[in-house]
Amino acid sequence: MSLINRLSIRLQNHPKRLVYAEGADPRIIQAARLYVNRGLGVPILLGERAVIKQRAEQLDIKLDGIRIIDPSDSEEMADFVIKFQGLRRFRGFNEQEARDYLLNTSYFATMMLATGSADALVSGATATASSALRPLFRIIPMQKGVETASSILILEKEDARIGIDGALFLSDCGVIPDPNQDQLADMAITTALLAKHLTNEPPRVAMLSFASKKEGTKNPSLLKMKSATALARDKARTLGIDVDIDGEIQVDAALVPGVAEQKGIKSSVAGKSNVLIFPDLNSGNIAAKLSQIVADCRAYGQIITGLSKPAAEISRGASAHDIFGASVIVAAQAVDPKYLFPMD
């Protein structure tokens, strides 16, 4: 059973309110319908009511069980304006300036998430990544003990020998172009925590590089990953997080037991990794897209990590199925793990 199906079954017992910033997009409407049909909670579509209804009619999709909000006439706008003006970054904005920001559905959706009017958020269907991410990074606080917001992409393949029953958690594939060692350590921790949250399986984190355990190296990239590995282990100990971390290590040695053995790499991570931390955005993004195209892996994300509220910034090229998968993941994030896996 796929990760999305497993989470959907568990989520049915803990339905969540999921806000979509681009509610008039046909793929969003299709994903929202599936979310309702699976009994996962209430999807909230933001946008012009008439446009959303017209699109749904064209798609022959019923809107029962789906909430529609047009920020321009929303009852929540007045309260959101006041709270928006109280945010440190927007202090000093007058009422009209705050309202103008909140007429942007990405900002309105983020305020819904921040105030508890929604449990999780999905945006990016029609916006650039920077436009979708900016409101989140400006409004949603960071997780305790974490200073870096980044993203993960979950790749899934019908091969239970890989990752966690075929699921691999990749970071960072969408936010930080050239992370430093401290940021990489944060990515390792937040990605591991999310992998544990969604699967209830022990996270095994590989800090990836083009060479494995190269002693005496002076290569900056290898040194960065070596240092990030040590920092991530220290951070995990400080935060009391049970996670196995190893690096610097090549991706084949991280995933394939036979390769790890041939290269003499012995650890609880080598050959058994389920979390992959890339040295930079170039390598992470290229690897993720190549896997989708060549290996025909299913991909869900980008799931934003490091923030105190669950959110996804999806690709403008995402299908309705991709969007539904990301929706399930962020909704499941909003469920306390002890309720998500009560018997495990």
Side-chain angles (χ1 to χ4, degrees):
M1 187 185 295
S2 72
L3 174 65
I4 300 306
N5 285 337
R6 294 197 301 271
L7 288 175
S8 294
I9 291 169
R10 295 179 182 272
L11 193 53
Q12 287 167 355
N13 296 320
H14 306 281
K16 294 298 176 184
R17 301 160 300 167
L18 180 67
V19 61
Y20 292 97
E22 296 107 341
D25 187 281
R27 298 163 298 163
I28 295 291
I29 297 171
Q30 290 170 322
R33 182 71 262 159
L34 189 54
Y35 191 83
V36 173
N37 290 349
R38 292 279 189 96
L40 308 184
V42 179
I44 304 165
L45 306 183
L46 299 187
E48 293 184 42
R49 195 169 282 101
V51 174
I52 292 173
K53 288 182 176 180
Q54 182 185 37
R55 295 268 168 82
E57 187 176 344
Q58 290 169 346
L59 295 166
D60 195 25
I61 292 177
K62 294 181 179 179
L63 292 172
D64 53 299
I66 298 174
R67 187 180 174 199
I68 301 173
I69 296 178
D70 185 340
S72 65
D73 62 13
S74 168
E75 294 178 355
E76 296 169 293
M77 178 62 86
D79 183 48
F80 282 2
V81 165
I82 294 170
K83 290 176 177 175
F84 188 83
Q85 290 173 296
L87 296 171
R88 181 181 57 82
R89 190 178 290 268
F90 301 103
R91 209 161 286 156
F93 278 43
N94 63 39
E95 182 178 338
Q96 187 57 52
E97 288 171 330
R99 181 181 171 84
D100 287 343
Y101 263 87
L102 291 168
L103 286 173
N104 179 318
T105 56
S106 291
Y107 275 93
F108 193 91
T110 305
M111 283 301 292
M112 290 189 71
L113 184 65
T115 59
S117 299
D119 301 304
L121 176 152
V122 173
S123 63
T126 59
T128 62
S130 59
S131 298
L133 292 172
R134 193 174 295 114
L136 289 166
F137 294 162
R138 287 180 167 183
I139 294 173
I140 304 299
M142 300 292 294
Q143 274 179 248
K144 186 178 179 181
V146 172
E147 298 178 4
T148 306
S150 55
S151 72
I152 70 168
L153 191 72
I154 300 175
L155 289 183
E156 190 166 37
K157 190 172 176 59
E158 292 179 2
D159 185 349
R161 296 172 299 175
I162 294 175
I164 302 173
D165 293 325
L168 279 173
F169 295 75
L170 279 57
S171 180
D172 176 8
C173 301
V175 176
I176 304 175
D178 189 16
N180 60 35
Q181 59 192 26
D182 296 291
Q183 291 171 319
L184 287 164
D186 269 351
M187 288 177 202
I189 296 300
T190 55
T191 309
L193 286 173
L194 182 54
K196 172 70 172 178
H197 187 137
L198 296 177
T199 67
N200 205 33
E201 295 292 334
R204 297 186 177 94
V205 182
M207 309 296 283
L208 298 180
S209 63
F210 65 82
S212 300
K213 310 290 186 179
K214 197 171 180 63
E215 295 298 329
T217 182
K218 295 182 179 180
N219 182 276
S221 178
L222 297 182
L223 290 174
K224 180 173 76 167
M225 297 311 288
K226 188 187 292 286
S227 178
T229 301
L231 288 170
R233 287 172 176 162
D234 288 343
K235 184 178 279 285
R237 281 193 291 268
T238 300
L239 295 174
I241 298 169
D242 186 16
V243 54
D244 293 333
I245 305 170
D246 197 14
E248 73 287 9
I249 186 171
Q250 291 164 287
V251 71
D252 54 353
L255 295 175
V256 184
V259 174
E261 186 178 352
Q262 280 183 334
K263 295 187 176 183
I265 305 171
K266 297 179 181 179
S267 73
S268 58
V269 172
K272 296 174 285 189
S273 304
N274 46 44
V275 173
L276 305 178
I277 307 300
F278 289 85
D280 54 48
L281 187 58
N282 265 326
S283 54
N285 192 274
I286 291 168
K289 291 187 182 296
L290 191 62
S291 299
Q292 293 174 63
I293 296 167
V294 175
D296 198 25
C297 292
R298 293 185 294 273
Y300 307 108
Q302 305 287 335
I303 310 299
I304 307 307
T305 57
L307 299 181
S308 57
K309 299 276 188 176
E313 185 274 312
I314 56 176
S315 166
R316 283 173 287 175
S319 68
H321 182 267
D322 298 335
I323 295 169
F324 173 72
S327 302
V328 171
I329 289 164
V330 293
Q333 264 187 277
V335 181
D336 190 300
K338 68 184 177 186
Y339 298 125
L340 197 60
F341 297 96
M343 304 299 292
D344 295 17

